[in-house]
Amino acid sequence: MSVNEAKSQKYSAGKDAELSKDEIEILDSLKLWRTEKAKNQKLPVYFIATNQELRSIAKYKPGKKEQLREIKGFGKHKIENYGEEIIEILESV
């Protein structure tokens, strides 16, 4: 088994993946949240999450903070800092 095989495959929505009306709504809410977060923390938006990561969240719709681990680009740090809020957004849209 090679090193690559040992790593579990993370979920990532393709750049050209069609988003449903609901998913677009989720994506817009996530982008709005990210912009606010970045402004408050004086960080570039991509530090919080990239567009690709937000698209993947909108498509995958994790129901629990732990499920964010399944999304490419989300590690312990991002989940601890932003996981709760992301799940709240998903539940409210």
Side-chain angles (χ1 to χ4, degrees), residues 19-58:
L19 294 181
S20 70
K21 196 169 164 277
D22 290 349
E23 291 164 350
I24 290 167
E25 214 176 301
I26 292 168
L27 183 61
D28 289 344
S29 297
L30 288 168
K31 283 184 174 179
L32 208 63
W33 162 80
R34 177 185 66 179
T35 302
E36 280 300 301
K37 207 65 172 158
K39 209 163 61 179
N40 293 341
Q41 296 182 3
K42 294 177 179 47
L43 290 169
V45 290
Y46 61 84
F47 265 56
I48 311 292
T50 64
N51 285 340
Q52 185 59 37
E53 289 163 1
L54 295 183
R55 279 179 70 83
S56 297
I57 291 168

